[in-house]
Amino acid sequence: MLSGQLADGFTTIFVGELMDRFGHFKLWHAGGSILVAISFSSVFGSCVPCKLMGINTSTLETVGYSTFAAIFNVGWAVTQVAHMSMVNCITSNPTSRVSLVSCRNAFTMVANLSLYGVALVIFTLLQSVNVLVQYRWIA
């Protein structure tokens, strides 16, 4: 988690600056989405480097999960900054900007509540299953 949070913090600053200078918010958004899609299953799945090398050590697991957590958070930061930057390009009316950001925040809350609902269903229905399997179902 720490590697991901550090990567997220640095990426948010640098990507925001690069987007301000070069623009192309949609390309940044697509790139961040691709990074998230590639790394998501590796963060919540099994150890990819362990499978590739045929070795299963705790050090390799730590490095693998830390690397994919960092990639995931970099992609997430890029996507979020690009998404928030697009609001200014969509409209110049301050009232419309507030409405767009409010809608974005509302749908974020709905997504978070939906995830809690899915987790409740999984933890209730799959009580006899290993916790790792439950979290994989949620992911």
Side-chain angles (χ1 to χ4, degrees):
M1 291 297 289
L2 180 62
S3 67
Q5 291 302 310
L6 289 172
D8 187 13
F10 287 119
T11 303
T12 301
I13 295 168
F14 292 124
V15 167
E17 183 64 32
L18 290 172
M19 278 187 212
D20 285 343
R21 289 185 185 195
F22 302 112
H24 304 290
F25 304 116
K26 291 180 183 178
L27 291 175
W28 285 97
H29 192 274
S33 298
I34 290 169
L35 286 176
V36 167
I38 290 171
S39 62
F40 186 79
S41 62
S42 301
V43 171
F44 295 106
S46 59
C47 177
V48 174
C50 298
K51 286 183 177 179
L52 292 175
M53 295 182 167
I55 307 168
N56 195 9
T57 64
S58 61
T59 304
L60 189 58
E61 284 182 354
T62 302
V63 169
Y65 286 126
S66 297
T67 302
F68 281 108
I71 292 169
F72 176 84
N73 279 299
V74 165
W76 189 261
V78 170
T79 303
Q80 292 298 309
V81 172
H83 197 261
M84 288 301 290
S85 299
M86 281 190 240
V87 170
N88 295 329
C89 295
I90 293 173
T91 181
S92 60
N93 184 349
T95 305
S96 297
R97 287 181 182 177
V98 170
S99 297
L100 287 171
V101 172
S102 295
C103 287
R104 180 185 185 276
N105 291 335
F107 281 108
T108 299
M109 185 184 73
V110 168
N112 289 334
L113 291 174
S114 300
L115 177 61
Y116 285 130
V118 168
L120 178 65
V121 168
I122 295 295
F123 289 140
T124 303
L125 294 178
L126 301 176
Q127 289 180 352
S128 62
V129 180
N130 185 359
V131 174
L132 182 63
V133 174
Q134 291 174 336
Y135 278 105
R136 285 187 181 157
W137 273 98
I138 292 169

